[in-house]
Amino acid sequence: MEQTRRMLILRAVVEDYIRSQEPVGSSALTRKHHLGVSSATVRNDMAALEDMGYLIQPHTSAGRIPTELGYRYFVDRLSTVMTLSPAQKRAIGAFLNGSVSLQDTLQRSARLLASITGQVAVISSPALSKSVLRHMELVPLATETLLLVVITDTGSVVQHTLRVDSPPDPSLLDYFTRKVNESSQGLSLSEAAMEVRGLALAPEFSALRPLADGLAITFASMAEDEQATDMYMAGTSRLAHQQSLNELAPLFDALEEQVVIMRLMSSLSEESNDVGVAIGSETHTPGLLNASVVSSGYGHSFSSNRTDGGTGSEGSAQASRGPDLRGQKAQGYAGDRAQPGIHKVDTGHIQASEPSGVAVQATGASAGQSPSPDKPVAFVGSIGPTHMDYAATMTAVRAVARYLTALISPTGEEG
């Protein structure tokens, strides 16, 4: 009974400190919460919690504040994520629905998340190594140069130039492109590379063998490039207005190390089935010792397990919203790949929400495959002080992750 009461007091201290950012005293705690005991008992329990490492007293005769251990206990016992109203769900859809591409959607999502939390929002684009091929095009640019445009199941659009010794026959090039799409649609890029190597051996494509070899090498390189992921960040200026610059200097230094941040959030999202939280030293990042990181993965990577002998066929799931990149002209892809960066926003406070029936037209797996979801293809995260509002931040991160999962999911699932 005594232990249960102490944990209730700990929870109350954490909630009050998150709200006020001022040390919490026993008298104030007794006054605000119906604990059923005297102020003296609360004071003794707070002293016991301090001895246990959950609280600390920054100054003599001052109230107490949570330690990293106290925050961890609090977060681990957040039983449910906040419920969102239909109006809140519509707010996120209204803000994101005007997106014209996946990159635009990710930028908007970062701004939205930063606006909701008042913290730094970080969102990664889907990793090519976890994506599958939806469509590819080979477009002649010059006498000895072709533009390769690759569209993945997650909506990513990647461009690459291929050099050829002489201009290929247009009709043969069109036929080769069609065969690549037929055999490789729904495969991972590494599997697509193997399919293209097989096509290169066909007598009918002997004239295109150097091109086919180059295409296979390019597919394989894309599949192996773990760093080919953009990171979209927002909210640093907003956070700077709320915290002391001296306190934020280590955090800003850490944010400069984008590879470290991406590795941390990716690992956190993959280890958690829903929303992962790392507090202070748990981040194993010196610049984040006074910060907390909340992250959730979005999308699902699929293993194809092909049994169709290498012949793919189209399958699609019709859906309601989101950028459908198929059918765009090749020149429309140019410049579509946005650069990661920090963007200041002034959109006001928008409540977090979950997607409602959001999905896009997406190509399903090829015939003979049995897709199985593996790890998320990317992450959504928020970085802020250890006294952040964990419940609200976790809700917001989860909501944006579910929206993005629905956006790029072949089945339109909300994850």
Side-chain angles (χ1 to χ4, degrees):
M1 182 66 179
E2 183 181 78
Q3 184 69 13
T4 300
R5 186 184 66 239
R6 286 176 178 174
M7 293 303 104
L8 290 175
I9 289 173
L10 173 59
R11 183 184 182 95
V13 171
V14 174
E15 290 175 344
D16 286 3
Y17 184 69
I18 287 174
R19 190 178 304 112
S20 68
Q21 296 176 36
E22 295 289 341
V24 180
S26 57
S27 298
L29 210 60
T30 306
R31 189 169 56 251
K32 293 178 182 179
H33 302 269
H34 301 290
L35 299 173
V37 293
S38 66
S39 177
T41 300
V42 172
R43 185 162 52 252
N44 290 335
D45 284 342
M46 292 176 72
L49 288 167
E50 184 176 358
D51 291 339
M52 296 164 66
Y54 290 107
L55 299 177
I56 190 173
Q57 192 172 27
H59 306 290
T60 305
S61 75
R64 291 171 173 83
I65 64 176
T67 63
E68 186 177 297
L69 183 62
Y71 285 123
R72 170 50 59 193
Y73 182 91
F74 175 80
V75 169
D76 287 346
R77 281 152 185 81
L78 283 175
S79 57
T80 59
V81 179
M82 296 164 58
T83 302
L84 303 167
S85 69
Q88 291 171 336
K89 293 179 181 180
R90 287 193 295 271
I92 192 172
F95 189 83
L96 298 179
N97 270 352
S99 303
V100 297
S101 66
L102 175 64
Q103 288 73 25
D104 186 33
T105 297
L106 298 181
Q107 287 178 324
R108 287 174 180 242
S109 297
R111 293 197 296 268
L112 174 66
L113 183 57
S115 178
I116 294 170
T117 63
Q119 298 161 180
V120 177
V122 182
I123 299 179
S124 68
S125 62
L128 290 177
S129 59
K130 299 177 182 178
S131 302
V132 301
L133 181 67
R134 173 191 288 181
H135 189 75
M136 60 80 66
E137 287 290 342
L138 289 169
V139 183
L141 289 182
T143 304
E144 299 179 344
T145 306
L146 298 177
L147 173 66
L148 167 65
V149 181
V150 176
I151 305 175
T152 71
D153 63 321
T154 58
S156 294
V157 180
V158 186
Q159 300 176 76
H160 197 281
T161 55
L162 297 175
R163 302 286 294 180
V164 291
D165 294 332
S166 59
D169 177 79
S171 59
L172 182 60
L173 181 63
D174 287 344
Y175 179 52
F176 174 73
T177 300
R178 186 166 68 253
K179 295 298 291 185
V180 171
N181 280 313
E182 289 176 356
S183 64
S184 302
Q185 188 180 58
L187 297 183
S188 68
L189 291 173
S190 58
E191 291 171 328
M194 290 188 288
E195 287 291 324
V196 172
R197 288 191 179 98
L199 287 175
L201 299 177
E204 57 191 321
F205 296 126
S206 59
L208 297 180
R209 190 159 297 167
L211 170 60
D213 289 339
L215 178 60
I217 292 172
T218 300
F219 277 163
S221 177
M222 289 179 181
E224 294 171 359
D225 189 358
E226 293 290 342
Q227 303 303 322
T229 302
D230 288 335
M231 190 167 77
Y232 302 87
M233 191 180 301
T236 52
S237 60
R238 183 181 293 271
L239 185 63
H241 285 101
Q242 300 175 10
Q243 306 291 324
S244 165
L245 289 178
N246 290 332
E247 295 176 358
L248 290 176
L251 172 58
F252 288 156
D253 288 341
L255 293 176
E256 290 293 323
E257 300 294 332
Q258 292 195 0
V259 173
V260 175
I261 295 297
M262 292 186 71
R263 186 180 299 116
L264 168 62
M265 287 198 164
S266 180
S267 175
L268 195 59
S269 65
E270 290 179 0
E271 291 172 0
S272 171
N273 291 328
D274 192 8
V275 180
V277 180
I279 303 170
S281 63
E282 296 173 354
T283 65
H284 303 291
T285 305
L288 300 178
L289 290 179
N290 295 314
S292 290
V293 176
V294 178
S295 181
S296 181
Y298 72 87
H300 304 289
S301 60
F302 290 87
S303 56
S304 62
N305 301 320
R306 288 193 67 149
T307 59
D308 64 347
T311 303
S313 62
E314 287 195 28
S316 64
Q318 299 298 326
S320 55
R321 321 178 245 213
D324 185 358
L325 301 177
R326 289 180 294 177
Q328 294 184 15
K329 297 297 184 182
Q331 55 265 35
Y333 298 126
D336 186 49
R337 192 171 173 83
Q339 296 298 316
I342 298 176
H343 310 276
K344 181 178 178 182
V345 295
D346 290 301
T347 56
H349 185 78
I350 303 174
Q351 294 294 326
S353 63
E354 297 173 342
S356 177
V358 183
V360 294
Q361 185 178 26
T363 301
S366 297
Q369 300 180 45
S370 47
S372 56
D374 191 10
K375 295 180 180 179
V377 298
F379 64 78
V380 173
S382 184
I383 303 175
T386 53
H387 58 258
M388 69 166 60
D389 186 336
Y390 288 95
T393 301
M394 291 168 70
T395 297
V397 167
R398 179 176 180 265
V400 174
R402 286 195 164 195
Y403 182 97
L404 293 175
T405 294
L407 185 72
I408 67 175
S409 171
T411 59
E413 295 176 355
E414 294 184 14

